[in-house]
Amino acid sequence: MKFTKPSWVIHNDSSGKSDQASKRLSIFSVHVHPDGSRIATGGLDAKVRIWSTKPILNSASEQSNRPPKSLCTLTMHTGPVLCVRWAHSGRWLASGSDDEIVMVWDLDPTARGKVWGSDEINVEGWKPLKRLPGHESDVTDLAWAPEDRYLASVGLDSQVLIWSGYTLERVRKIDQHQGFVKGVCWDPVGEFLATQSDDRSVKIWRTTDWELEAEVRKPFEDSPGSTFFRRLSWSPDGAHITASNATNNKGFVFIAAVIARNSWTSEISLVGHENTVEVASYNPHIFLRNPAAPVATSNICSVVALGADDRSVSVWQTKSARPIIVAKEVFERQIMDLSWSWDGLTLYAVSSDGTLAAFSFEVEELEGIAPHSVQQQYLQKFGFTLPPLPEGWSHTSVQSHSSGERITPPPSPNRSVHSQGQNGFGAPSSGAGEVVNTLVAKRNTKRRVQAKFLGPIGGSSSSTTSANPSPYHDALPRSHPRSRPLSNAIGSSSGQEFSERVHSSHTSDRRQPDYLSGDVVMDTPIDSLSPGSSSGTKRKLSALDASEERPTKSRTLGGDRVRDDSSNVVKEIYTATERRPAISTTSQLGRDILDVPSVLTYLCRRVPDTGDDILECKNAESGDLTEVCYVSGKTVLWLDYLPSPGILLVATPAFSAVGMLDGTLNVYSSTGRRLMPTLALDGTVSFLSGARFTLVAITSTGMLYSWSVKKARANFAPVSMRPLLSSSPNVSAMGTNMIITSLNARPNGSPIVSTTSGVTYSYDSDLCAFVKLSEPWWAEGSDSWSSRPRNSSPQQAIVASIESAISERIPPPPGTTQHPQWWTSAMTLGHLESKLHAARVLDSSTEYKQALLVYAKKIADEGFRNKAEELIKELFGPIYWRPGITKDENWSPTLLGHMKRDLLKEVLQVFARSKTLAKLGMDWQELLKKATATED
């Protein structure tokens, strides 16, 4: 075995000061590309970095800097990157971050160059393909399903989100964990998904209906909750899950638990680490106990690596009771992630000390390693059939397993290893000789030059490849950038030179040529690639000619017009009050209590989660023509003309809305269809906001509206805001009028109204009244109020975001004020009760649970038994209630998606651990246990 620890693999603090430039920051994740040519790392610097593996494994390559050590730096995340995972096809890279977002990246040949804001150079470019919002807290782990059919993400919001591996749309949300979820892995058969959480359980989910198959708790009952991750791994033969952060002997022995398939029990433990095991990672190959014997269950074993908080890495073969190797104190701090190369001979590890290490094995050291074809044949014995692919979608249209077609730039060479009869992605090689990819450029007088992969030369599958253009391109619509197919042309090199170099240097059966062993020019422009530079390409070019005749995009309203940014100059045409006498009556103006925005020549709103899509409104200075258009990049996707100037816009991925000066409102779909008739309101819109399918508005007369665009109906009847404004006694203590400063919408239809007094309101349709969500009053004495404003973001928990905004506007309370004896306790309890009501109104289930547990702890600390009993009875409900019985009119078993008795279980744990309410908590725990047993 060879051990390497390259110092140049680093995530550093380059925030400004020169003495900080080389400071190492923690690396939280590492993953090897399927072709082995590159690795991706994610770190505390909020960046994803892609590195060449050849300089790590080859000292000559490291000294010559060929290929370049650093290939790319991706900077779209706004928080530490906690996980990076390549898709099995190699075409996409997924990253999860502290900013609550999952990003999926795709290779972009045109995006090379200097990294903005630094001196780094991107040798290759990766662009964000899609941004996947949905988590409400840190995203801790990611996993691609077999054949990339799904992407699973887990996080500190206790949720498991399942995304389609083709459309990248969310298909399922699983929220049955009761603690932070810190690990996820897929069954290689595709039948199950496993997740591991701080609720001290591993849960197994069926992929057929996403319901719970089994729950494993025994080896995790005493596991510590302090680990950063709980990363688990499924063996390549599908027989076992190795889960981290398990213990024996009541928590005194740290182990990794091996869970058997079907029985879902853990009878095997990997013992030896001196601290908590943080991560487990199986070698992707199946191993044979006796290589001379046939492949059978009794002859199969696996190799798994463990990384722990004791700064050591161990590698185990399941046929042996002792590890193959133990590398002690490899790092200065705990191991965060492990990743095996596809050939199974290199293990990469990263640590929170900011370094990476590589363990390179020889074939003899990992005895019995079998080719990937053996795994594919063996997994067929489970008899599980994967669901059909979405119509027109495929991951294999760009990467052809049978032809060995590559979907990334040519990788670094690998050592000559054992004969697998495999290509680099685990599919059987064609056996028809050397597999070589050729990149051919075609010039067309009507379109710019494009590059396409045309498959292998001289192989038996070349005629098949050349005769059939990619079905992926044929199957997908091209009318919108968000739905367009991925480009096949994702790398460039001189076709003839590349072909010769592969033939001369390729000595392995893993089709990984030495693409940079000589003086290769990496920036070869596509125009320099001659169609005749490679032999045997004329027949293939004819196939391209036929495909060029297809229309490049469907027709759209305004799509043939060239967008001119130079005309988008913002000028004030007139204030709304100057124009409105011509369109309003005197009595109308007299009823206005809110200002109306001025009429401008140009307004725009960026559409969130869609890349560069923009909703624009252009008002003619003459006032007789208003144009609304939806633009993606330089393409106009739709437009409309309106009879009155537009003054307010709102745009979400689901709809767009325009508020006009004459008091009307138009709502459009993403394709420009009017989702509702033009709404004639009682006044001109003063505030407008949207979230998901909800649209809210406040007019100049003070009327509040809320609609569900999806259902095309109001969430509640229009209600007047006058009780909160100047005509109401609800003004500030100084007697000054209260003014609305902003309006925001929640997906459940609730409005959020911020005012100059610092108080934030919403409207509760159940109570038919405005309610206070939060106010500066709680800052005077609540222990749960944070005087330091937190960084607010659209993805931050909503109640916390509201309080952060209030903290930014109000001065800190003076510390010398004298208060009554019970002031702090009363203020803290009142504040927490207010947060509970606010979370309910705004449908923030995670915040409700967090506030409830803090509230329970405060009650327990103060010893308020009466409050505790009342809370317990409210959550427990009628003693006779069981699942399936008729619902009690006065009590509902669920609250914001949580089962009330599940919430009670955690509340009772808080009470049972307290000094004052321990007996009360344990008595109710026993009663709840009996009720639960009766339910089962």
Side-chain angles (χ1 to χ4, degrees):
M1 185 200 75
K2 179 182 177 182
F3 172 74
T4 310
K5 197 173 183 183
S7 60
W8 44 266
V9 176
I10 182 175
H11 285 249
N12 59 346
D13 183 359
S14 56
S15 56
K17 297 182 180 180
S18 58
D19 58 345
Q20 294 280 329
S22 60
K23 179 183 178 182
R24 286 187 179 272
L25 300 179
S26 297
I27 301 178
F28 296 118
S29 185
V30 62
H31 203 234
V32 193
H33 190 277
D35 68 10
S37 65
R38 50 182 59 70
I39 59 172
T41 58
L44 187 62
D45 58 354
K47 296 176 182 177
V48 177
R49 298 179 183 266
I50 301 176
W51 314 86
S52 296
T53 55
K54 187 178 180 183
I56 297 176
L57 305 176
N58 186 311
S59 58
S61 175
E62 181 180 20
Q63 294 173 6
S64 65
N65 199 34
R66 291 186 178 177
K69 299 180 181 69
S70 176
L71 296 178
C72 189
T73 300
L74 310 179
T75 58
M76 291 289 288
H77 282 294
T78 59
V81 179
L82 303 182
C83 186
V84 289
R85 294 291 182 260
W86 297 99
H88 298 295
S89 65
R91 66 184 299 164
W92 289 341
L93 171 66
S95 59
S97 167
D98 199 30
D99 62 10
E100 307 171 6
I101 296 297
V102 176
M103 293 286 293
V104 178
W105 308 84
D106 186 26
L107 192 65
D108 182 5
T110 64
R112 293 175 292 180
K114 190 173 181 180
V115 180
W116 187 86
S118 74
D119 296 328
E120 300 176 28
I121 301 295
N122 280 344
V123 177
E124 63 183 25
W126 289 79
K127 63 184 179 183
L129 177 67
K130 192 161 186 182
R131 183 174 178 270
L132 308 181
H135 282 284
E136 298 176 6
S137 190
D138 306 8
V139 179
T140 54
D141 205 7
L142 301 165
W144 291 91
E147 300 183 11
D148 296 332
R149 288 173 179 262
Y150 302 104
L151 171 65
S153 61
V154 299
L156 300 188
D157 55 1
S158 306
Q159 294 181 356
V160 182
L161 300 185
I162 311 297
W163 312 85
S164 168
Y166 301 94
T167 64
L168 297 179
E169 300 294 332
R170 194 174 80 184
V171 297
R172 189 76 173 190
K173 179 174 80 170
I174 303 173
D175 55 2
Q176 297 183 35
H177 274 293
Q178 303 303 315
F180 301 152
V181 188
K182 296 181 177 179
V184 61
C185 68
W186 291 89
D187 166 22
V189 179
E191 188 177 4
F192 300 111
L193 171 73
T195 55
Q196 188 169 0
S197 165
D198 273 357
D199 61 9
R200 294 181 171 85
S201 73
V202 168
K203 295 183 187 291
I204 317 297
W205 314 92
R206 295 187 296 271
T207 60
T208 52
D209 56 7
W210 305 111
E211 295 299 327
L212 186 65
E213 170 74 11
E215 182 180 43
V216 183
R217 286 190 172 273
K218 183 179 178 182
F220 313 105
E221 291 174 343
D222 299 303
S223 64
S226 58
T227 58
F228 214 93
F229 300 110
R230 290 175 181 256
R231 287 178 166 154
L232 67 172
S233 183
W234 210 305
S235 64
D237 61 353
H240 301 96
I241 302 169
T242 294
S244 58
N245 201 359
T247 58
N248 281 344
N249 282 357
K250 297 183 179 180
F252 290 100
V253 178
F254 301 101
I255 65 168
V258 181
I259 301 169
R261 189 191 187 97
N262 295 330
S263 68
W264 310 118
T265 58
S266 176
E267 306 297 336
I268 303 173
S269 301
L270 304 181
V271 185
H273 282 282
E274 298 174 1
N275 207 331
T276 314
V277 177
E278 193 93 23
V279 54
S281 179
Y282 270 98
N283 189 300
H285 283 263
I286 281 177
F287 288 76
L288 302 179
R289 298 172 184 267
N290 180 6
V295 178
T297 302
S298 59
N299 192 34
I300 283 180
C301 62
S302 302
V303 169
V304 63
L306 305 178
D309 288 354
D310 61 1
R311 301 175 292 164
S312 64
V313 175
S314 61
V315 179
W316 305 69
Q317 196 162 27
T318 53
K319 69 178 182 180
S320 173
R322 294 181 176 274
I324 300 174
I325 66 159
V326 177
K328 291 189 175 181
E329 298 185 1
V330 177
F331 300 99
E332 295 179 3
R333 297 174 66 182
Q334 71 263 42
I335 284 79
M336 289 297 188
D337 204 5
L338 300 169
S339 180
W340 288 92
S341 61
W342 184 246
D343 65 2
L345 295 180
T346 306
L347 173 67
Y348 296 88
V350 292
S351 166
S352 59
D353 66 7
T355 60
L356 173 141
F359 303 85
S360 302
F361 297 87
E362 299 298 332
V363 180
E364 296 77 16
E365 294 177 296
L366 298 178
E367 182 183 4
I369 188 168
H372 286 288
S373 57
V374 172
Q375 179 196 21
Q376 300 303 321
Q377 295 170 6
Y378 180 79
L379 294 181
Q380 293 177 2
K381 81 179 186 66
F382 290 93
F384 180 76
T385 303
L386 293 170
L389 299 180
E391 185 177 355
W393 295 84
S394 172
H395 283 299
T396 60
S397 59
V398 176
Q399 172 211 323
S400 173
H401 286 264
S402 61
S403 63
E405 198 169 344
R406 192 181 307 284
I407 60 93
T408 60
S412 302
N414 285 271
R415 300 159 297 170
S416 178
V417 295
H418 56 286
S419 176
Q420 302 178 46
Q422 299 283 313
N423 62 28
F425 286 95
S429 58
S430 62
E434 197 74 42
V435 176
V436 180
N437 299 317
T438 303
L439 187 64
V440 178
K442 181 183 183 302
R443 184 180 298 277
N444 188 298
T445 57
K446 296 182 180 180
R447 301 178 61 191
R448 65 181 183 180
V449 177
Q450 292 184 339
K452 291 180 179 287
F453 281 110
L454 300 178
I457 294 177
S460 61
S461 61
S462 61
S463 61
T464 304
T465 306
S466 62
N468 294 289
S470 169
Y472 187 79
H473 281 264
D474 293 335
L476 295 181
R478 302 189 179 192
S479 60
H480 196 289
R482 283 177 288 170
S483 61
R484 65 177 181 263
L486 300 171
S487 172
N488 277 355
I490 58 175
S492 64
S493 177
S494 172
Q496 183 67 35
E497 183 181 11
F498 172 59
S499 174
E500 292 174 355
R501 181 163 293 109
V502 172
H503 277 292
S504 62
S505 64
H506 189 96
T507 58
S508 165
D509 60 356
R510 297 184 59 244
R511 64 170 181 81
Q512 298 198 358
D514 190 352
Y515 75 113
L516 285 176
S517 58
D519 298 330
V520 176
V521 180
M522 299 194 66
D523 296 326
T524 305
I526 292 179
D527 289 346
S528 68
L529 300 180
S530 170
S533 63
S534 179
S535 61
T537 60
K538 292 184 178 180
R539 174 171 50 81
K540 299 176 181 182
L541 289 174
S542 65
L544 289 178
D545 290 333
S547 65
E548 294 293 340
E549 300 302 322
R550 297 174 303 185
T552 58
K553 60 181 180 179
S554 62
R555 190 172 178 207
T556 61
L557 186 62
D560 57 346
R561 187 178 66 180
V562 178
R563 182 169 181 252
D564 183 12
D565 291 334
S566 61
S567 62
N568 299 337
V569 179
V570 180
K571 297 180 182 178
E572 183 179 78
I573 303 176
Y574 43 73
T575 63
T577 54
E578 292 172 351
R579 178 70 174 174
R580 291 179 68 211
I583 59 173
S584 303
T585 64
T586 305
S587 60
Q588 169 67 40
L589 290 174
R591 293 191 292 115
D592 287 350
I593 58 175
L594 296 175
D595 293 333
V596 175
S598 299
V599 179
L600 306 176
T601 55
Y602 178 76
L603 300 89
C604 71
R605 285 290 180 272
R606 187 169 297 278
V607 185
D609 304 329
T610 59
D612 55 357
D613 290 9
I614 296 175
L615 177 68
E616 296 181 334
C617 178
K618 300 177 182 179
N619 298 313
E621 292 191 45
S622 60
D624 57 358
L625 179 66
T626 294
E627 178 188 285
V628 177
C629 60
Y630 188 104
V631 181
S632 180
K634 295 292 183 180
T635 304
V636 177
L637 298 185
W638 59 264
L639 58 80
D640 193 16
Y641 297 102
L642 304 175
S644 177
I647 57 174
L648 284 174
L649 304 177
V650 66
T652 75
F655 70 90
S656 303
V658 182
M660 290 172 282
L661 186 62
D662 62 359
T664 58
L665 188 65
N666 276 358
V667 183
Y668 303 91
S669 72
S670 59
T671 61
R673 292 177 52 250
R674 299 193 183 214
L675 294 175
M676 295 192 293
T678 299
L679 304 175
L681 309 180
D682 70 323
T684 306
V685 175
S686 293
F687 295 92
L688 193 63
S689 182
R692 203 169 298 175
F693 294 102
T694 295
L695 175 64
V696 295
I698 299 177
T699 64
S700 58
T701 61
M703 293 299 292
L704 172 66
Y705 295 82
S706 176
W707 300 276
S708 170
V709 174
K710 187 175 184 179
K711 299 178 181 178
R713 69 183 185 189
N715 292 313
F716 51 80
V719 60
S720 175
M721 297 286 297
R722 289 179 182 268
L724 302 183
L725 302 176
S726 57
S727 61
S728 166
N730 291 331
V731 294
S732 66
M734 300 299 296
T736 57
N737 294 339
M738 187 167 60
I739 300 172
I740 296 175
T741 58
S742 68
L743 171 69
N744 291 286
R746 284 290 290 168
N748 69 334
S750 297
I752 302 174
V753 182
S754 300
T755 65
T756 52
S757 67
V759 183
T760 302
Y761 296 90
S762 186
Y763 184 77
D764 191 331
S765 57
D766 292 335
L767 300 176
C768 296
F770 286 97
V771 294
K772 289 183 177 181
L773 299 176
S774 191
E775 55 184 319
W777 168 251
W778 302 123
E780 298 290 331
S782 172
D783 288 339
S784 295
W785 183 276
S786 176
S787 59
R788 179 178 61 86
R790 289 159 287 192
N791 293 327
S792 60
S793 67
Q795 290 78 33
Q796 183 181 346
I798 184 62
V799 179
S801 179
I802 291 171
E803 293 190 350
S804 294
I806 294 175
S807 296
E808 292 172 358
R809 293 199 301 266
I810 63 173
T816 57
T817 306
Q818 295 294 323
H819 294 297
Q821 177 183 357
W822 292 96
W823 171 264
T824 301
S825 298
M827 290 290 284
T828 302
L829 289 173
H831 176 219
L832 290 172
E833 289 163 357
S834 177
K835 285 187 72 172
L836 288 171
H837 292 305
R840 180 191 59 79
V841 171
L842 301 181
D843 196 25
S844 181
S845 61
T846 301
E847 283 187 296
Y848 185 90
K849 181 177 177 180
Q850 293 170 349
L852 178 65
L853 296 180
V854 175
Y855 180 62
K857 188 176 187 307
K858 182 64 177 177
I859 291 176
D861 291 344
E862 297 289 347
F864 295 150
R865 184 183 180 90
N866 292 340
K867 286 182 179 287
E869 287 183 335
E870 187 177 61
L871 177 62
I872 291 171
K873 291 176 181 178
E874 179 182 320
L875 294 175
F876 191 91
I879 196 73
Y880 58 80
W881 183 87
R882 299 292 182 272
I885 69 172
T886 304
K887 188 174 180 180
D888 193 308
E889 294 182 358
N890 299 318
W891 186 79
S892 172
T894 61
L895 179 60
L896 300 180
H898 298 292
M899 293 297 296
K900 286 185 177 179
R901 290 188 175 179
D902 290 342
L903 294 175
L904 177 60
K905 183 178 180 181
E906 298 196 38
V907 168
L908 293 177
Q909 289 176 354
V910 174
F911 290 161
R913 289 195 297 265
S914 69
K915 296 180 179 179
T916 56
L917 301 178
K919 187 176 186 306
L920 176 70
M922 287 186 287
D923 290 345
W924 277 96
Q925 278 181 328
E926 188 66 27
L927 182 59
L928 181 62
K929 186 176 181 181
K930 292 179 180 178
T932 304
T934 307
E935 293 173 12
D936 296 338

